[in-house]
Amino acid sequence: MTTIPFGRRAVLFSALALGCLASLGAQAQTWPTKPIKVIAPSTAGGAPDVYARALADLMSRELGQPMVVENAPAVGGMVAAQQMQRAQPDGYTLLVSTAGMMTITPNANPKARYQPADFTPICQGVDAGLVLAGSPTLGPKDFEALQQWLKAEKAPPSYSSYSPGSPAHFLGYQLSEALNVPMTHVPYRSGPQQIIDMVGGIAPLGFTQIATASPQIKAGKLVAFATTGPQRAPELPDVPTVRELGLPQLETTVWFGLTGPAGLPAPVAKRLTHAHRKVLASPEFRNRMATSGLVPSADICGDAFLKKMNDESARWARIVKATGFVAD
């Protein structure tokens, strides 16, 4: 066996590394030349999947190559995120990231082992506030009356969420903290099941998704007390925001966006950003999102998108720690 001197090995290694970088750079100039996979952290028909399929359909026209959605649900988005961590940084595997996946799961699940900085941020795509709603049988018809009711209850009142470890879960904790009223969390495994029990009075109060709850609110089967977005929700224009009610610390939106693996070549990231921005501005995309209760985001791309993820991660880290919640 021929032994290569250390100095020469270092030179060969450097040459190989430079060759790989040069190859990636050359590929980036012609990218894309084949179909692109988009990982969606939900089952088919879930809200992230709806965004992913609309995005894939319209971005493929901009990029000139098909974009194929692959569903990878479970564990707060961790499975999808870890799949992205293993992907080659060539632009042919992308991820629909979610607020929960990027800002809560890394703080709540010891097995996550990733942070927002471990990905290449492209753009935030859509967002939507949540709604604090309750059964009409509860009694209160507005937030002031609800607040009085909560404080008058002798036993700790309960609140529901559509998933343990979700923004809805931790918003309930923040409400309890803000009003200085002990409350018990009742988690569900899906929004539709939560709504069924809220309408039935089994879980009479909770934070939930506006798109899921608004038909029941408009039908008088649920009472809406507040929404959590920065502006009033278009679907519920008569319902005040938490900021209007003096609770700005509860302001929250659930968002989805597009990310790539770490080390994505700058020309590829730039082209993806340009295509994503064009899609967000298109009437077709806006119409498709409106039917799902999702609102196209403002222009939050690149470093601004990463900063938002880091800021929200710091917020949820405090609350996750305070609750003692650990995802299983």
Side-chain angles (χ1 to χ4, degrees):
M1 180 188 294
T2 302
T3 301
I4 301 173
F6 177 79
R8 191 177 175 194
R9 289 204 306 270
V11 171
L12 287 172
F13 179 80
S14 297
L16 285 169
L18 288 171
C20 289
L21 288 172
S23 175
L24 280 173
Q27 292 173 20
Q29 300 304 319
T30 58
W31 181 92
T33 58
K34 62 181 182 181
I36 301 162
K37 179 170 70 176
V38 181
I39 303 170
S42 76
T43 56
D49 177 75
V50 170
Y51 162 69
R53 292 183 188 278
L55 193 69
D57 183 19
L58 299 176
M59 278 186 70
S60 66
R61 302 176 198 175
E62 293 292 327
L63 298 173
Q65 288 290 340
M67 296 182 76
V68 182
V69 176
E70 178 182 289
N71 296 100
V75 201
M78 187 176 72
V79 170
Q82 292 179 336
Q83 191 174 335
M84 173 57 59
Q85 283 184 299
R86 297 189 295 269
Q88 290 295 317
D90 54 11
Y92 292 105
T93 305
L94 303 173
L95 172 69
V96 169
S97 55
T98 71
M101 169 203 296
M102 288 296 181
T103 69
I104 294 179
T105 299
N107 292 303
N109 194 322
K111 296 179 181 178
R113 297 177 186 172
Y114 65 83
Q115 295 294 331
D118 296 328
F119 304 89
T120 298
I122 305 302
C123 290
Q124 181 177 310
V126 294
D127 60 5
L130 300 178
V131 59
L132 174 62
S135 167
T137 60
L138 207 60
K141 303 304 179 194
D142 58 34
F143 184 78
E144 183 178 354
L146 175 67
Q147 184 174 341
Q148 292 171 358
W149 179 85
L150 289 169
K151 291 184 175 183
E153 286 293 287
K154 293 181 180 179
S158 64
Y159 74 92
S160 64
S161 73
Y162 51 80
S163 175
S166 65
H169 171 181
F170 297 120
L171 281 170
Y173 173 83
Q174 283 193 288
L175 179 66
S176 170
E177 186 180 54
L179 301 182
N180 195 28
V181 175
M183 296 177 71
T184 303
H185 176 224
V186 179
Y188 282 79
R189 292 293 179 181
S190 72
Q193 185 59 54
Q194 179 196 15
I195 294 295
I196 288 171
D197 278 6
M198 287 175 72
V199 169
I202 299 170
L205 180 69
F207 286 92
T208 192
Q209 294 146 330
I210 291 175
T212 312
S214 59
Q216 305 297 336
I217 293 168
K218 291 173 182 177
K221 296 180 180 180
L222 287 177
V223 177
F225 300 109
T227 56
T228 68
Q231 291 90 32
R232 292 196 178 197
E235 303 95 324
L236 303 170
D238 297 328
V239 180
T241 66
V242 286
R243 182 172 290 274
E244 290 178 84
L245 294 169
L247 298 168
Q249 68 271 40
L250 270 66
E251 190 168 286
T252 300
T253 61
V254 178
W255 51 258
F256 310 137
L258 188 66
T259 51
L264 194 66
V268 174
K270 184 177 180 180
R271 190 157 182 209
L272 282 166
T273 300
H274 176 74
H276 195 284
R277 280 172 165 155
K278 286 194 73 173
V279 166
L280 256 65
S282 70
E284 183 176 352
F285 180 79
R286 291 178 174 276
N287 289 338
R288 288 173 71 166
M289 293 302 96
T291 61
S292 300
L294 298 172
V295 180
S297 299
D299 187 20
I300 305 174
C301 297
D303 289 344
F305 188 23
L306 179 59
K307 182 181 185 304
K308 177 172 183 173
M309 287 190 271
N310 285 332
D311 289 348
E312 290 190 8
S313 181
R315 170 195 176 176
W316 294 123
R318 180 194 74 81
I319 298 169
V320 169
K321 185 177 180 179
T323 62
F325 175 77
V326 178
D328 53 24

